[in-house]
Amino acid sequence: MKERKRAASGSHKTNVIPVHWDATFFFERAVRSLDRYHYDKALKYFRRAVEYEPDNPVNHCNMAGILSEMGNYEESNRVLKRVVDELDPEMTECHFYMANNFANMEQYESAEDALIRYLELDAEGQFLEEAEEMMELLHYELERPMKLASVKAREGYFEHDQARAMLEEGKFVEAVRLLESIVEKNGEFLAARNNLALAYYYMGIFDKAMAAIQEVLAIEPGNLHALCNLAIFYQHESNEEALRPLVVQLCKMVPFHQEHVFKMATTMGILGEHGEAYRHFARLMREGALRADACLYHYTAVAAWNMGRMDEAERHWIQAGKLDPKSNVPDYYLELVERVRGGGEMATASYHYHLPFEEQFKLWEKSSEALPDHLKRDPLVRSSFFWALRHGDRSTKLQVIQALGMIADNEVKDALKSFIQEAQEDDYLKRIAIFVLRSMGVHESLNAILEGQETIIEHSRMPSRLPVWEEKWQDVLEAALSRMNKQYDLVQQHDLLTLWIEFLSRVYPDVPKLGKVEAWAAALEYLTAKMHRRTISYHEVSQRYGTSIATVSKCAKRIDEICGIKEKMKMVFPALSETSNES
């Protein structure tokens, strides 16, 4: 019997399959456990998978995921941190997982740090939408925007939004810097190229603006924004031959997206194609997306007005006034309607949603001597200043330099620093610009081209060929400029400085002892006022400077003897004659 059993056993073919235990085996077991919501078992199996393949970061991430599902957020983050610190720094999604864990622990500052690292490091953007939702949560919990610098998955997009904001604020130099860096990194980013072209255009750098647009059209010939910008550039150049066929082409286009419709409408308005502009603005009104925007009613009103539809324009401006009661723009144009109905001349209205420049500067003159904040921030005003600084006549540039001195922000400083390095610009204007920079608190060395030579202007108010510059000489300047600050413009202050340097240069080394600083300062102000045809007396300046009439008169006569002020006033003196007519 035993033998038969043994024989039967030997002849029987077994169905048992040997089990090969490895990481894959435990991974599959873990997944099955997860499907049945058996998290404890799943965690056990993932731990075993890690034991078999300790250098495989995916196994660690799986284990961290289970720990997070079980509410063990701290342990999950320890595992995830080991992955990015030791195993695979390229697994940037671990930072997103850690941000989730920190948020679940209500550690919002740490969640923000981890989320920022994810957004700045992850190129694929696998969890980009979820990250944006978390950003909203953190914004709410921290009661402030996130401290985010860039989004790797949207290379250049975040920076592009910053650049667009700069353009809207009139910070053209800063926008150009940022847009140039974006285009350098991502040449296919056409929106950045288009805005770079506009930034160049606003600054008056037309050759670069045209080149940037041509680069966009070389990549995408039908790019609507580029075609619209090109048409505006052709209009600026008065290139009617190139402009007309382009306008015909644009009129045949039917944009689909709201942004494209708006771009087409504003472009047609600028080109004087008011019927086409009205058609597109009316379409935006019908579609209703911007119906609560006072600007849209203004644009539609302007198109109607320029077509001669006065009643329709009036209706839209009334609605704009209701939507934006604090603005004086609708009221200005409604008054214009009444004037025209009363027999006044019907002038072309501007699409820009602000008062015409003439009206703005009338308000400025009435309000105070300082440039109002809303004009300082207005991108069109700033653009006009930058244009005039490059393309205006000498008198206009002189006025613009003074106006820029009232704005006195970093954008202005950059523009003036660039201006003084232009070889073709007038030296006198560049010296005024240097003086304005010093008046704005720019004390570092400045690079300039003066008299055709590259010059480094050291920390002083103005360059001087004197071998030394005595402290007492500076005291005289400070005494005069501090009292003139509110009563004289920057050009007049600069001319006082020039007069003082000229006097010292001519008498050097036999410079007077300057015992009474205030008397010499008063004499300089008196002579500067005379040069600019301002009414002034020795009695007035002596009182303000706390010195005697006789002493001021003596100092003034000494300066006049050396510098020949009276003789210069009788002849055409470029540094004085032009500005004297403006004082």
Side-chain angles (χ1 to χ4, degrees):
M1 179 69 72
K2 289 182 180 178
E3 290 177 3
R4 283 201 299 271
K5 284 184 179 179
R6 199 177 292 119
S9 174
S11 63
H12 180 68
K13 189 175 181 180
T14 180
N15 290 323
V16 177
I17 300 172
V19 176
H20 180 60
W21 286 6
D22 59 8
T24 303
F25 169 79
F26 288 111
F27 171 80
E28 291 172 353
R29 286 295 181 95
V31 171
R32 282 185 219 161
S33 299
L34 275 179
D35 291 339
R36 298 184 178 95
Y37 302 101
H38 296 162
Y39 293 119
D40 289 339
K41 284 186 177 182
L43 178 60
K44 181 180 71 174
Y45 290 132
F46 276 134
R47 287 191 192 278
R48 294 299 303 274
V50 167
E51 290 173 7
Y52 274 90
E53 292 183 357
D55 295 328
N56 186 339
V58 175
N59 294 332
H60 291 266
C61 281
N62 289 329
M63 186 168 67
I66 293 295
L67 288 167
S68 181
E69 287 290 337
M70 296 174 68
N72 194 344
Y73 305 118
E74 290 185 9
E75 180 64 23
S76 175
N77 273 359
R78 274 195 289 272
V79 174
L80 292 166
K81 191 171 188 309
R82 187 184 169 214
V83 171
V84 291
D85 287 351
E86 301 176 20
L87 300 176
D88 188 359
E90 297 300 316
M91 290 192 70
T92 51
E93 62 268 30
C94 291
H95 295 291
F96 176 73
Y97 301 145
M98 284 192 277
N100 264 306
N101 286 336
F102 281 126
N104 285 322
M105 290 187 285
E106 298 185 1
Q107 296 179 20
Y108 299 116
E109 295 279 356
S110 298
E112 178 187 44
D113 292 339
L115 188 61
I116 288 172
R117 290 209 69 188
Y118 168 71
L119 291 170
E120 292 182 344
L121 294 174
D122 185 73
E124 295 180 6
Q126 180 183 355
F127 298 106
L128 198 54
E129 290 184 12
E130 294 87 344
E132 288 173 347
E133 290 178 8
M134 194 184 297
M135 284 174 68
E136 291 182 16
L137 167 69
L138 295 176
H139 185 176
Y140 174 78
E141 294 292 348
L142 296 172
E143 298 182 347
R144 61 168 173 76
M146 277 185 60
K147 299 174 285 189
L148 182 63
S150 64
V151 178
K152 183 78 170 178
R154 291 180 175 168
E155 192 77 68
Y157 283 81
F158 184 82
E159 294 86 347
H160 181 241
D161 287 342
Q162 287 182 311
R164 286 182 62 181
M166 290 172 185
L167 285 178
E168 290 170 4
E169 294 168 10
K171 298 177 179 177
F172 305 120
V173 175
E174 292 178 48
V176 163
R177 283 201 203 102
L178 189 51
L179 289 166
E180 284 177 339
S181 70
I182 294 170
V183 168
E184 185 178 349
K185 294 174 187 173
N186 185 359
E188 300 295 316
F189 198 160
L190 300 187
R193 285 189 180 275
N194 270 320
N195 281 321
L196 178 59
L198 285 177
Y200 286 141
Y201 178 72
Y202 292 146
M203 292 174 66
I205 312 174
F206 306 122
D207 54 343
K208 284 191 173 184
M210 187 64 79
I213 283 298
Q214 296 294 358
E215 287 168 359
V216 174
L217 292 172
I219 299 170
E220 187 181 301
N223 187 281
L224 180 69
H225 280 274
L227 291 171
C228 288
N229 292 338
L230 182 62
I232 292 169
F233 296 171
Y234 280 151
Q235 184 189 56
H236 170 79
E237 292 179 337
S238 301
N239 189 346
E240 193 68 20
E241 184 179 350
L243 177 61
R244 286 322 306 169
L246 181 53
V247 171
V248 171
Q249 178 186 349
L250 289 172
C251 288
K252 292 177 181 177
M253 298 176 74
V254 182
F256 176 75
H257 296 292
Q258 178 183 297
E259 179 189 355
H260 289 168
V261 178
F262 187 79
K263 177 71 176 181
M264 183 73 84
T266 53
T267 300
M268 287 299 170
I270 293 169
L271 296 175
E273 300 289 334
H274 304 298
E276 288 294 317
Y278 181 84
R279 182 166 66 87
H280 292 297
F281 284 130
R283 176 183 163 187
L284 290 170
M285 297 275 275
R286 285 195 304 273
E287 293 174 355
L290 300 174
R291 196 168 288 168
D293 190 345
C295 293
L296 179 59
Y297 282 91
H298 170 72
Y299 301 144
T300 313
V302 170
W305 174 270
N306 290 337
M307 294 167 67
R309 301 181 183 179
M310 190 186 306
D311 293 344
E312 193 171 344
E314 181 183 36
R315 189 171 70 252
H316 290 307
W317 274 318
I318 288 171
Q319 186 60 30
K322 290 178 181 177
L323 291 170
D324 189 8
K326 294 182 179 180
S327 173
N328 50 13
V329 175
D331 290 339
Y332 168 80
Y333 282 103
L334 288 170
E335 289 176 10
L336 178 62
V337 171
E338 293 303 316
R339 286 202 301 272
V340 172
R341 283 183 176 148
E345 185 178 350
M346 188 169 181
T348 301
S350 169
Y351 284 92
H352 296 292
Y353 189 58
H354 58 57
L355 293 178
F357 282 133
E358 298 80 6
E359 296 299 319
Q360 293 194 57
F361 282 100
K362 280 180 190 174
L363 292 176
W364 170 26
E365 290 170 357
K366 288 178 184 177
S367 62
S368 68
E369 293 181 1
L371 195 68
D373 285 341
H374 76 277
L375 285 184
K376 292 179 182 180
R377 293 191 301 267
D378 191 315
L380 198 61
V381 171
R382 296 167 70 96
S383 174
S384 298
F385 285 158
F386 291 136
W387 271 44
L389 190 62
R390 284 184 171 274
H391 305 287
D393 58 25
R394 189 171 184 271
S395 176
T396 301
K397 288 180 179 181
L398 194 61
Q399 291 176 317
V400 165
I401 291 169
Q402 292 187 80
L404 291 175
M406 297 178 191
I407 297 175
D409 60 15
N410 290 333
E411 185 84 1
V412 165
K413 292 173 186 177
D414 287 341
L416 292 179
K417 286 177 184 178
S418 176
F419 179 79
I420 64 176
Q421 294 180 53
E422 296 289 342
Q424 74 276 12
E425 294 293 351
D426 181 271
D427 274 0
Y428 176 68
L429 295 178
K430 285 189 276 193
R431 291 177 186 275
I432 294 285
I434 292 168
F435 180 76
V436 169
L437 283 166
R438 295 305 187 206
S439 301
M440 287 191 288
V442 177
H443 296 310
E444 72 264 21
S445 297
L446 297 170
N447 296 316
I449 296 179
L450 295 170
E451 299 175 6
Q453 301 275 330
E454 290 189 9
T455 308
I456 297 177
I457 313 299
E458 299 296 345
H459 178 192
S460 60
R461 285 192 172 272
M462 278 290 288
S464 166
R465 292 180 179 174
L466 289 162
V468 294
W469 185 258
E470 300 288 347
E471 187 176 345
K472 204 96 176 207
W473 304 349
Q474 185 68 25
D475 291 343
V476 172
L477 266 183
E478 297 292 346
L481 293 171
S482 63
R483 289 171 174 83
M484 293 174 70
N485 187 34
K486 301 294 182 184
Q487 302 178 48
Y488 293 78
D489 66 28
L490 289 168
V491 170
Q492 292 162 351
Q493 293 178 51
H494 167 268
D495 286 346
L496 177 141
L497 172 59
T498 304
L499 174 60
W500 184 229
I501 290 174
E502 182 185 356
F503 170 72
L504 294 172
S505 300
R506 290 192 178 194
V507 298
Y508 187 83
D510 300 320
V511 179
K513 292 184 179 180
L514 309 180
K516 296 183 178 179
V517 166
E518 285 73 17
W520 286 97
L524 284 171
E525 180 182 333
Y526 175 83
L527 292 171
T528 303
K530 288 294 183 182
M531 287 190 294
H532 285 272
R533 309 293 194 270
R534 292 181 59 138
T535 302
I536 197 167
S537 67
Y538 284 128
H539 175 72
E540 178 187 339
V541 290
S542 64
Q543 279 197 322
R544 283 201 296 108
Y545 283 83
T547 187
S548 68
I549 294 174
T551 309
V552 175
S553 173
K554 180 181 175 183
C555 293
K557 286 176 182 175
R558 177 63 176 148
I559 295 171
D560 187 30
E561 285 174 8
I562 299 299
C563 298
I565 304 301
K566 292 177 182 177
E567 291 301 315
K568 287 179 182 178
M569 291 175 66
K570 293 176 184 178
M571 56 191 287
V572 178
F573 185 56
L576 303 173
S577 60
E578 184 171 333
T579 55
S580 65
N581 294 328
E582 298 166 6
S583 61

